[in-house]
């Protein structure tokens, strides 16, 4: 589970500012604490889209620390795990497309954090890398 610590502070215009120390550049705000925390995953995803486009390593959450925390959606986590597995195995998008017998835009969509990909497509991509995707359910924090 990708669970990032966030720092909340009062902004100068009576909104709540959210900073994500482990994801440089991930900033957002809300009218109140609840709205600010609801917006935080989108801010993190927006920055991580840039990391993927720039072929950079995904910053992982540091262990420990006190809350508050925000958790990224399971689909986002699966896509980031695929991206990381591809980088580790030095498999390009073109090579993954070849292994899957897909067109390159299909792989692009699979790595697009804003695209609602299907888990069966992600499972196929992981299999092409010699990996297996699994889902874990845990108690809500």
């Amino acid at each position: 589970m990708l669970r990032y610590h966030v720092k909340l502070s009062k902004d100068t215009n009576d909104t709540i500012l959210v900073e994500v120390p482990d994801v440089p550049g991930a900033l957002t705000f809300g009218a109140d604490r609840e709205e600010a925390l609801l917006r935080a995953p989108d801010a993190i995803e927006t920055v991580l889209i840039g990391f993927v486009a720039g072929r950079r390593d995904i910053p992982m959450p540091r262990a420990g620390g006190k809350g508050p925390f925000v958790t990224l959606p399971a689909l986002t986590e699966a896509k980031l795990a695929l991206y990381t597995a591809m980088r580790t195995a030095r498999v390009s998008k073109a090579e993954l497309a070849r292994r899957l017998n897909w067109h390159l835009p299909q792989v692009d969509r699979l790595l697009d954090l804003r695209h609602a990909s299907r888990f069966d497509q992600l499972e196929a991509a992981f299999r092409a890398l010699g990996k297996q995707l699994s889902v874990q359910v845990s108690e809500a924090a």
Side-chain angles (χ1 to χ4, degrees):
M1 168 172 37
L2 289 178
R3 187 171 177 244
Y4 289 93
H5 166 71
V6 295
K7 180 181 162 191
L8 302 174
S9 58
K10 203 98 159 130
D11 207 351
T12 57
N13 58 354
D14 287 332
T15 59
I16 303 297
L17 179 67
V18 180
E19 296 177 77
V20 186
D22 293 334
V23 184
L27 301 167
T28 192
F29 69 94
D32 55 28
R33 185 179 196 276
E34 182 179 324
E35 182 183 5
L37 289 173
L38 283 173
R39 289 180 175 209
D42 185 61
I44 295 168
E45 284 180 342
T46 299
V47 172
L48 294 181
I49 287 169
F51 275 69
V52 171
R55 297 183 179 139
R56 296 174 55 195
D57 289 337
I58 301 300
M60 302 312 285
R62 285 181 244 162
K66 294 183 179 181
F69 295 94
V70 294
T71 304
L72 296 184
L75 183 59
T76 297
E77 183 173 354
K79 288 176 176 244
L80 292 173
L82 176 62
Y83 168 77
T84 300
M86 289 172 63
R87 285 181 55 82
T88 300
R90 292 193 161 93
V91 172
S92 68
K93 292 188 291 184
E95 173 59 20
L96 184 60
R98 187 194 65 73
R99 290 181 186 187
L100 292 167
N101 197 27
W102 290 0
H103 296 286
L104 187 56
Q106 290 172 282
V107 174
D108 286 334
R109 286 190 297 271
L110 200 58
L111 294 171
D112 181 351
L113 301 184
R114 300 282 189 230
H115 186 267
S117 301
R118 297 184 345 227
F119 270 99
D120 62 320
Q121 295 168 325
L122 283 159
E123 288 176 309
F126 277 109
R127 276 194 305 276
L129 295 172
K131 305 282 185 190
Q132 180 178 347
L133 176 65
S134 65
V135 176
Q136 178 183 342
V137 177
S138 59
E139 294 297 322

